[in-house]
């Protein structure tokens, strides 16, 4: 398995993996599957310090991670927000760890001092990954969003890179 920057031709695989995350109802408040137009726009929104990372095995994309702005205010330019999605058949096999390690290395080089993310408290594999990578809980927004008509809490986690 190797980790590299994403390319436009990866968008179809990125979309497939993201839609699996949406279907599984453990990763995001999104409930409608996305299409190529949406995902291409999303991909093209990553420029300069903000990048998409791809885990590739035997020429196949098996996971991705993204580093995107936490806030567009200059005061927060050192804080990056992240997302990670691994293809269903590859979860729990170390792909998330490899993606986050590469992302973190890049983020340090780019002068970020902190990474943050929002996750559902019931996403056990996600929690396992983030805690293993040194993230800790900042706090939990209660009833922060609706998922299929039910309130869900969203936990924020962070990791200082300094
Ligand atoms: C969450 C996700 C990104 C994690 O990536 P992954 O490749 O599956 O995770 P890894 O295999 O790298 O596991 C990392 C650590 O989590 C822990 N872990 C593994 N299985 C676990 C489980 N069933 N429950 C809790 N923790 C677990 C372990 O500490 C593991 O490290 P170790 O195997 O060296 O001990 C991935 O499962 C995924 O894409 N899930 C669906 C989408 C999603 O939830 N994205 C995150 C949104 S916040």
């Amino acid at each position: 398995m190797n980790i590299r920057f994403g390319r436009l031709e990866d968008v179809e695989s990125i979309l497939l993996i993201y839609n699996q995350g949406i279907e599984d109802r453990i990763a995001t408040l999104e409930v409608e599957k996305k299409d190529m137009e949406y995902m291409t726009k999303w991909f093209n929104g990553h420029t300069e310090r903000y990048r998409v990372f791809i885990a590739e095995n035997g020429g196949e994309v098996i996971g991705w991670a993204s580093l995107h702005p936490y806030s567009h205010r200059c005061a927060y330019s050192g804080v990056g927000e992240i997302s990670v999605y691994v293809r269903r058949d590859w979860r729990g096999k170390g792909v998330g760890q490899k993606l986050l390690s590469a992302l973190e290395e890049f983020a340090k080089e780019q002068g970020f001092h902190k990474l943050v993310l929002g996750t559902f408290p019931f996403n056990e594999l996600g929690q396992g990954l983030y805690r293993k990578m040194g993230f800790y809980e900042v706090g939990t927004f209660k009833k922060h969003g609706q998922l299929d008509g039910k309130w869900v809490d969203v936990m924020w986690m962070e990791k200082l890179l300094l």
Side-chain angles (χ1 to χ4, degrees):
M1 183 200 319
N2 72 300
I3 308 293
R4 59 166 174 79
F5 288 129
R7 302 190 282 257
L8 199 53
E9 61 263 33
D10 298 319
V11 170
E12 200 172 342
S13 306
I14 291 172
L15 174 68
L16 181 141
I17 294 168
Y18 187 43
N19 280 336
Q20 289 183 348
I22 292 175
E23 272 172 15
D24 295 342
R25 300 291 199 262
I26 47 163
T28 169
L29 289 169
E30 298 287 338
V31 289
E32 302 288 338
K33 289 216 255 173
K34 303 303 178 197
D35 59 16
M36 280 296 282
E37 190 185 344
Y38 173 95
M39 215 74 230
T40 303
K41 196 171 166 203
W42 171 89
F43 181 84
N44 286 332
H46 292 78
T47 54
E48 299 172 20
R49 303 165 75 220
Y50 302 101
R51 301 298 289 261
V52 176
F53 299 80
I54 293 292
E56 189 179 47
N57 190 61
E60 280 185 29
V61 176
I62 56 172
W64 58 264
S66 81
L67 173 60
H68 43 270
Y70 162 72
S71 163
H72 287 283
R73 293 173 63 190
C74 298
Y76 293 119
S77 64
V79 183
E81 189 174 331
I82 65 167
S83 300
V84 200
Y85 286 77
V86 173
R87 209 172 75 185
R88 263 187 209 126
D89 53 337
W90 276 89
R91 292 179 196 162
K93 295 178 180 167
V95 179
Q97 279 179 73
K98 288 215 163 60
L99 279 164
L100 282 196
S101 299
L103 183 154
E104 201 177 303
E105 229 20 70
F106 175 78
K108 280 185 197 157
E109 284 164 20
Q110 296 298 316
F112 288 92
H113 72 276
K114 181 193 278 201
L115 297 177
V116 299
L117 63 94
T119 181
F120 297 141
F122 52 82
N123 186 349
E124 286 178 17
L125 198 43
Q127 303 282 311
L129 169 66
Y130 301 132
R131 291 189 196 282
K132 172 121 196 185
M133 295 300 296
F135 285 77
Y136 55 88
E137 182 180 347
V138 177
T140 299
F141 289 111
K142 300 290 179 194
K143 295 188 176 175
H144 205 48
Q146 290 256 324
L147 197 56
D148 298 325
K150 289 195 182 126
W151 287 114
V152 284
D153 297 347
V154 176
M155 178 196 291
W156 277 82
M157 301 182 83
E158 69 175 6
K159 179 173 181 178
L160 287 169
L161 304 180
L162 295 172

